[in-house]
Amino acid sequence: MSSIFTKIIQGEIPSYKIAETNDFYAFLDINPLAKGHTLCVPKQEIDYIFDLDDSTLMELHLFSKKVAKALEACIPCKRIGVLVIGTEVPHTHVHLIPFQQEVQMAITSLKLKVDPEEMKTIAQKVSKKYQEQNP
Ligand code: 5GP
């Protein structure tokens, strides 16, 4: 069975999309630790990040860097934190978290409730910035 992220990538489940390439997809986390919390995933459905081949692993990080640059230009934050856990969804994903306080980097911290309209606005803003920075 396809992972929930594969369903998102294929458009079967809606997402607040930030960026897409042939091999990668970025979208807002539905239960964010901070506004703009984004997940970067390879389209190839592999559970564990260190099972990716070297090239895909490297490209995932370079893709995440580009998304992080767009995020930091749009979301007031101390910096973009990077987290990889992967115990909830068995499809490799890099969390990018625009944090103000270090506690927001703890996956066990209370998740924010962000209004869908605001999620949409954030996604549109960051997506536009990503496109400007990566024409
Ligand atoms: P992890 O597997 O790294 O512990 O976390 C999985 C992340 O995926 C969580 O932060 C969770 O909120 C997010 N997530 C789970 N299901 C969905 C979904 O259907 N849509 C989105 N946008 N995020 C999801």
Side-chain angles (χ1 to χ4, degrees):
M1 201 180 70
S2 300
S3 77
I4 195 148
F5 290 168
T6 294
K7 289 180 180 160
I8 284 173
I9 292 161
Q10 292 176 346
E12 291 171 35
I13 292 177
S15 68
Y16 299 100
K17 178 173 156 180
I18 301 289
E20 182 171 12
T21 68
N22 284 342
D23 298 320
F24 303 100
Y25 193 92
F27 56 103
L28 293 181
D29 193 305
I30 205 72
N31 295 306
L33 286 161
K35 285 183 184 177
H37 180 168
T38 295
L39 303 175
C40 296
V41 306
K43 291 185 176 176
Q44 192 184 11
E45 189 180 316
I46 289 182
D47 177 1
Y48 181 43
I49 189 165
F50 295 126
D51 285 335
L52 295 177
D53 63 73
D54 290 357
S55 163
T56 306
L57 179 61
M58 187 183 70
E59 293 297 332
L60 172 62
H61 284 299
L62 294 177
F63 176 70
S64 300
K65 176 182 175 180
K66 288 178 181 171
V67 174
K69 290 290 174 193
L71 278 170
E72 70 187 24
C74 296
I75 313 275
C77 59
K78 192 178 266 184
R79 58 173 56 192
I80 307 296
V82 182
L83 204 61
V84 176
I85 302 178
T87 49
E88 184 187 325
V89 179
H91 184 149
T92 295
H93 50 284
V94 173
H95 295 257
L96 297 179
I97 303 168
F99 71 90
Q100 297 276 14
Q101 296 177 313
E102 285 76 0
V103 69
Q104 292 174 287
M105 288 303 298
I107 201 76
T108 48
S109 288
L110 207 60
K111 306 292 172 68
L112 298 180
K113 290 249 177 296
V114 184
D115 175 76
E117 272 310 305
E118 191 177 2
M119 291 283 274
K120 196 170 152 191
T121 304
I122 292 169
Q124 284 171 345
K125 194 173 169 189
V126 180
S127 174
K128 186 165 176 276
K129 181 59 71 178
Y130 175 89
Q131 285 166 38
E132 284 167 14
Q133 292 175 339
N134 302 280

